[in-house]
Amino acid sequence: MHKPKISLILPIYNAQKFIKRTLESAINQSLKDIEILCVDDCGADKSMEIVKEFANKDSRIKIIKNSQNLGPFVSRNRGVLASNSEFIMFLDSDDFLDLNACELVYENFKEGGGAEWLFFDCYCELEGKWLKHEHNFLKTNAISSFSFDEAVHLWLCENAPTELFTPMWSRAFKKELFLKNYENNLKNLSGLIYAEDVLHNLTYCSYVKTIKYIPMPLYYYSHNESSTTHNKEKNSRNIADLQKVMEYLENFFAKDSFNALIAKIENCNLKIDQIDRYKHLCPPFKLVLKLQRKFTKIKKKALIKKALKGGVNSGI
């Protein structure tokens, strides 16, 4: 069986307004030897009709249909399990790629060898404008390749911003390690529609020794207000998912390991997100939530100080 150079995984749910643009960015990549795996997550609009029209004209597009709406966590995993490439990229169905994205990702994975995780920048849409978003913690060093220990140290020095472990789409993965992480740690989990990227990325780190960084925006992220993440009616479900992910990460690593300390720091980021969502659902408790947020930031600062004092060489 022919192995394409890159597998693009697209979970698709109610993206009729955007999916044509998304697919056009995929099929028009400068690197032609790719496969495009579209996972039908049983939406209620005509997204999949559009996908099928594209698939009839381009054999690189393959459709995987979920039996019911399973969310992005399961959909992404199903896409990876059906993929044939050595390298994996994710593309959300309301976003799109720079036309050189796959080629640059493939070349950087192959150059020098050894990198297990590849990061790149993106543009984020805000009020109709595209703003460049960079992995600032990686930009503090002039080199483009890092040991994972070095990347964690830079992340801690920048006050542990969220982007080391979020999102899925501004990075690429080695399929071999992604599947190892899935089989060992995530296979029996399901139902997540929010914060699943943190769970994927933080557990994937257990297998990563080297990171490579492309300081170029290769991904365009659209703020789709009807998506799962931004729909206000989903806030209570998102809060529950945040809690589930925090509890899983709390128990995932050995209690006395450096990994566990990093998970605690990332859990502080998740807790702040959860508190901010509670503020919309429970306005009368705004003051209490404000105090909880302040306490969480203090706790995060103390954990970062402890991690830096122990040094990244204690193992992650």
Side-chain angles (χ1 to χ4, degrees):
M1 179 184 289
H2 171 71
K3 290 189 176 183
K5 290 183 169 64
I6 294 283
S7 294
L8 279 177
I9 314 296
L10 283 72
I12 298 173
Y13 179 77
N14 289 350
Q16 179 181 338
K17 181 179 177 181
F18 307 95
I19 190 62
K20 182 178 178 181
R21 180 183 67 178
T22 303
L23 288 171
E24 286 177 343
S25 80
I27 66 174
N28 291 317
Q29 286 292 303
S30 58
L31 179 66
K32 302 304 179 185
D33 190 8
I34 64 174
E35 64 177 353
I36 304 161
L37 296 153
C38 298
V39 185
D40 178 3
D41 201 21
C42 304
D45 67 0
K46 296 182 179 180
S47 296
M48 291 311 301
E49 292 181 21
I50 298 171
V51 174
K52 288 173 184 177
E53 289 178 8
F54 274 82
N56 287 335
K57 299 174 183 177
D58 194 325
S59 61
R60 297 175 299 171
I61 299 175
K62 301 174 178 65
I63 297 173
I64 302 164
K65 184 171 177 58
N66 291 341
S67 58
Q68 59 184 335
N69 177 236
L70 298 172
F73 181 79
V74 173
S75 295
R76 288 189 182 113
N77 289 335
R78 291 199 70 203
V80 174
L81 287 167
S83 67
N84 296 293
S85 173
E86 184 182 356
F87 306 113
I88 303 294
M89 293 175 65
F90 295 100
L91 175 59
D92 286 354
S93 54
D94 46 4
D95 303 335
F96 60 100
L97 292 169
D98 181 275
L99 295 184
N100 295 315
C102 290
E103 183 174 3
L104 288 169
V105 165
Y106 181 75
E107 287 176 352
N108 275 274
F109 263 130
K110 286 296 187 180
E111 283 179 3
E116 291 103 354
W117 212 8
L118 198 145
F119 285 62
F120 44 85
D121 295 333
C122 68
Y123 284 110
C124 294
E125 186 179 21
L126 182 64
E127 298 179 352
K129 296 181 180 179
W130 291 100
L131 304 177
K132 188 176 181 181
H133 180 79
E134 302 171 331
H135 291 292
N136 289 323
F137 73 101
L138 294 178
K139 280 187 171 295
T140 59
N141 199 314
I143 62 173
S144 61
S145 293
F146 306 79
S147 72
F148 188 66
D149 285 355
E150 289 172 326
V152 169
H153 181 74
L154 293 170
W155 179 72
L156 292 169
C157 289
E158 288 288 319
N159 198 31
T162 58
E163 62 248 34
L164 181 56
F165 301 111
T166 58
M168 295 288 285
W169 39 256
S170 65
R171 59 207 69 201
F173 303 78
K174 289 191 74 172
K175 179 184 175 181
E176 177 187 3
L177 298 184
F178 192 99
L179 288 179
K180 186 180 290 187
N181 183 42
Y182 170 76
E183 291 290 338
N184 292 342
N185 306 314
L186 305 177
K187 189 175 183 178
N188 296 320
L189 295 174
S190 63
L192 289 173
I193 63 171
Y194 189 67
E196 79 288 344
D197 47 2
V198 178
L199 191 56
H200 263 303
N201 289 328
L202 193 47
T203 53
Y204 182 80
C205 288
S206 300
Y207 305 95
V208 173
K209 294 180 179 178
T210 306
I211 285 177
K212 197 166 187 180
Y213 171 52
I214 305 173
M216 295 173 60
L218 303 181
Y219 193 99
Y220 289 76
Y221 172 74
S222 299
H223 287 278
N224 176 9
E225 294 301 326
S226 65
S227 71
T228 299
T229 303
H230 296 99
N231 190 328
K232 292 181 180 179
E233 296 178 3
K234 299 290 185 180
N235 251 353
S236 59
R237 172 65 186 272
N238 293 347
I239 287 169
D241 279 356
L242 283 162
Q243 189 63 38
K244 188 185 298 185
V245 170
M246 285 188 287
E247 289 173 358
Y248 185 88
L249 292 176
E250 187 73 24
N251 296 313
F252 178 75
F253 299 108
K255 295 296 183 183
D256 58 346
S257 70
F258 190 74
N259 307 55
L261 187 54
I262 296 302
K264 287 178 184 294
I265 292 169
E266 184 57 28
N267 269 355
C268 288
N269 286 329
L270 296 177
K271 186 64 178 179
I272 290 169
D273 186 359
Q274 188 183 56
I275 290 168
D276 289 343
R277 291 177 182 277
Y278 268 123
K279 285 193 294 187
H280 293 290
L281 293 178
C282 310
F285 297 96
K286 190 174 181 179
L287 180 59
V288 174
L289 292 168
K290 186 177 180 180
L291 291 172
Q292 286 184 353
R293 196 180 197 278
K294 184 176 181 179
F295 172 77
T296 303
K297 291 185 76 172
I298 292 171
K299 179 182 177 181
K300 176 183 170 181
K301 188 174 181 179
L303 289 168
I304 291 171
K305 184 177 181 181
K306 181 178 179 181
L308 287 171
K309 184 177 180 181
V312 293
N313 292 327
S314 52
I316 185 165

